[in-house]
Amino acid sequence: MFITFTLNGALRRLPAETPPAMTLLDWLRAAGLTGTKEGCAEGDCGACTVVIEAPDGARAPVNACLMTLGQAHGLALRSVEGLSAPDGAPHPVQVAMLAAEATQCGFCTPGIVMSLYAHARMGGDAHEALAGNLCRCTGYRPILDAMAALPVAEDTAPPCPATDVTGFGPPEHRFFLPRSLDETLALRRAHPGAWLLAGGTDLGLRFSEHRENPGAIICLRDVAELRGITAGPEGFSVGAAEPYAALLDHMAHDADFAAFAGLLRRLGSRQIRALGTLGGNLGTASPIGDALPPLLALGARLTLAGPDGARDVAVGDFLLGYRRNALRADEVIARVFIPRPAPGAIFAAEKLSRRHDQDISAIGLAVLLERDGAVITRARIAHGGCGPMAARAPEAEAVLEGAAFTEAQARAAGEALARAITPMDDLRGTAEYRRVAARNLLLRLYWREARPEAATEIMALPTPHAPRFIAP
């Protein structure tokens, strides 16, 4: 049984002894395809960007440094070497970069070119398309000029290899790609120490940075019961292995979840959202998981599937501590149900980080306020980055419930929140900064409601080069 994928239009069938936990980036460079660069090995800089090409023509940029060879199985991939025409002529994306003088040292350029290659097909906001690619010398203006000049993509997608192989790797390092929930649970019983791998945008650091190579990996990508999204009047039911990109596509067109969609746009980059999943964010139980505060504030619930059937668990009961959760050794997270905010409720999902896009949160805050007239009847406030785990803040909630949402109440709730959290000092901010920021986020939410015309953020307009400065 062999790892098989299409790369740059050619079928690749790797030797049976190939370690499936090897990163795609390491394999590409060892194979002589060194246009794909290693910058950070964390999915942060985008120098390693390659593109997954779907049969329907869709393109998804991903970080090759976080993607294992096992995850590449059955896919059609393209690296920068695969862009040129058969006669060696450069691709129109490369021509546009050259014409705009959008490259200098060139180290980051291949990854940027691949992001532009995906963008030419998928479209959307140019700034968002570049959020996962760092350029330290050219600056982004000429790159944006190149993007504005991109022709409509007309390339045809290469075929994905036909394969029904669901397990490969040497005996001491097995990699499984089950197709059904029953098969997954059987593998859990047979390999109790196996790692569960969804998108790998967090767990993948153990492969790329720490060079760990577990005895068995169960990849959930192809499990039908763990995929798909359904939206209804009660909320969203999301497969635990469905990538963030698909969830964002749904929430971006639903006014009730506009704040959640805004947060998802800042959750990593397009490269991260093409692989990362809600199930992975929950399973790793990171205290800075971006999606966890809004899930807690909205009262999201999980379906955990095991050999004895399914059980329903609130996200607040699932998270037990730093990197600890309530998942049993024979279970998997099957689905996440995200309730729809009640009519007239205020819902906000905030994130503060050193960079607006593609950065780890210094603090995350999500707030749900249900009202009867001017009075708050129910408050749910959840924070991340302020302790060993994402959690609710009942002390701040109690200040708001039964009162009108006034500036004084917002300030009092902010003070209660600042006293309740237990942040730490690290490179992203001091503990005192996090306390002040948490307090101020609640106050900012009040001003957004009381004076929506007085926004206090500096943002970029969708059109290139036009920053917008808004004073309070």
Side-chain angles (χ1 to χ4, degrees):
M1 295 183 285
F2 306 91
I3 299 173
T4 306
F5 53 87
T6 300
L7 177 65
N8 300 333
L11 186 67
R12 299 289 185 126
R13 193 180 189 199
L14 306 188
E17 65 273 13
T18 302
M22 183 181 190
T23 68
L24 177 61
L25 172 62
D26 285 346
W27 181 86
L28 287 169
R29 294 186 62 79
L33 300 173
T34 53
T36 307
K37 308 299 184 187
E38 179 175 350
C40 65
E42 294 180 344
D44 193 48
C45 72
C48 67
T49 300
V50 298
V51 171
I52 298 174
E53 299 181 297
D56 63 1
R59 297 173 184 167
V62 295
N63 297 114
C65 72
L66 296 179
M67 188 176 189
T68 64
L69 286 176
Q71 289 170 279
H73 180 70
L75 301 180
L77 302 166
R78 192 167 298 275
S79 70
V80 69
E81 290 88 355
L83 292 186
S84 59
D87 62 0
H91 190 274
V93 169
Q94 295 166 310
V95 172
M97 288 282 286
L98 178 63
E101 298 182 345
T103 181
Q104 286 186 24
C105 82
F107 185 88
C108 65
T109 301
I112 291 172
V113 165
M114 296 311 296
S115 288
L116 267 60
Y117 174 73
H119 179 72
R121 171 79 68 184
M122 306 312 296
D125 180 69
H127 295 274
E128 184 180 317
L130 284 174
N133 294 89
L134 292 182
C135 175
R136 295 178 174 86
C137 56
T138 304
Y140 289 92
R141 176 162 294 183
I143 299 172
L144 289 167
D145 289 339
M147 296 181 78
L150 289 179
V152 177
E154 297 180 352
D155 316 63
T156 58
C160 296
T163 174
D164 58 1
V165 174
T166 59
F168 33 75
E172 66 276 16
H173 297 296
R174 297 290 289 160
F175 192 103
F176 300 98
L177 270 169
R179 303 281 178 83
S180 70
L181 182 58
D182 286 344
E183 185 182 358
T184 303
L185 296 177
L187 287 168
R188 286 284 269 165
R189 291 192 297 272
H191 303 274
W195 292 10
L196 288 179
L197 178 64
T201 54
D202 186 357
L203 192 65
L205 295 176
R206 298 178 68 175
F207 305 125
S208 63
E209 284 195 329
H210 304 296
R211 300 297 176 180
E212 295 184 55
N213 194 2
I217 297 171
I218 302 172
C219 181
L220 307 175
R221 184 194 74 191
D222 295 339
V223 181
E225 294 92 334
L226 308 189
R227 299 297 298 265
I229 300 173
T230 56
E234 301 300 319
F236 279 95
S237 175
V238 185
E242 191 68 36
Y244 285 120
L247 180 59
L248 177 56
D249 286 344
H250 281 74
M251 286 189 167
H253 300 96
D254 192 312
D256 288 341
F257 290 97
F260 208 143
L263 180 70
L264 288 176
R265 288 191 180 92
R266 297 181 58 198
L267 195 158
S269 59
R270 284 188 177 179
Q271 290 94 319
I272 295 296
R273 293 193 296 272
L275 293 178
T277 67
L278 280 181
N281 215 207
L282 288 156
T284 57
S286 169
I288 51 174
D290 283 346
L292 302 186
L295 292 179
L296 285 165
L298 289 169
R301 304 191 68 84
L302 309 179
T303 300
L304 307 182
D308 299 324
R311 62 187 179 111
D312 179 80
V313 177
V315 170
D317 295 327
F318 181 77
L319 301 173
L320 301 180
Y322 180 76
R323 298 282 186 180
R324 294 192 301 114
N325 62 50
L327 193 68
R328 296 169 183 162
D330 56 358
E331 290 181 321
V332 296
I333 306 171
R335 301 198 71 80
V336 183
F337 178 72
I338 309 174
R340 189 176 295 277
I346 298 171
F347 174 61
E350 302 279 5
K351 169 181 175 176
L352 293 181
S353 55
R354 288 182 175 269
R355 296 202 323 266
H356 180 79
D357 298 299
Q358 176 65 344
D359 202 1
I360 295 173
S361 295
I363 178 174
L365 191 73
V367 181
L368 177 69
L369 304 178
E370 296 178 359
R371 298 177 291 181
D372 182 2
V375 176
I376 298 171
T377 58
R378 184 180 184 223
R380 295 177 68 98
I381 300 172
H383 55 80
C386 297
M389 57 184 279
R392 295 262 303 278
E395 301 88 349
E397 295 170 352
V399 172
L400 294 175
E401 289 181 348
F405 194 33
T406 63
E407 180 181 356
Q409 289 301 113
R411 288 186 182 276
E415 293 296 340
L417 176 61
R419 290 191 298 268
I421 59 179
T422 57
M424 61 183 292
D425 295 330
D426 63 17
L427 293 175
R428 291 182 290 277
T430 64
E432 181 59 22
Y433 164 78
R434 287 182 165 94
R435 290 190 181 93
V436 172
R439 181 189 67 204
N440 288 349
L441 284 173
L442 272 179
L443 187 60
R444 185 169 78 174
L445 175 59
Y446 165 75
W447 283 114
R448 281 182 173 168
E449 292 299 313
R451 289 183 54 195
E453 77 283 359
T456 57
E457 294 175 274
I458 301 174
M459 300 293 292
L461 291 173
T463 53
H465 322 326
R468 176 181 63 181
F469 300 93
I470 302 177

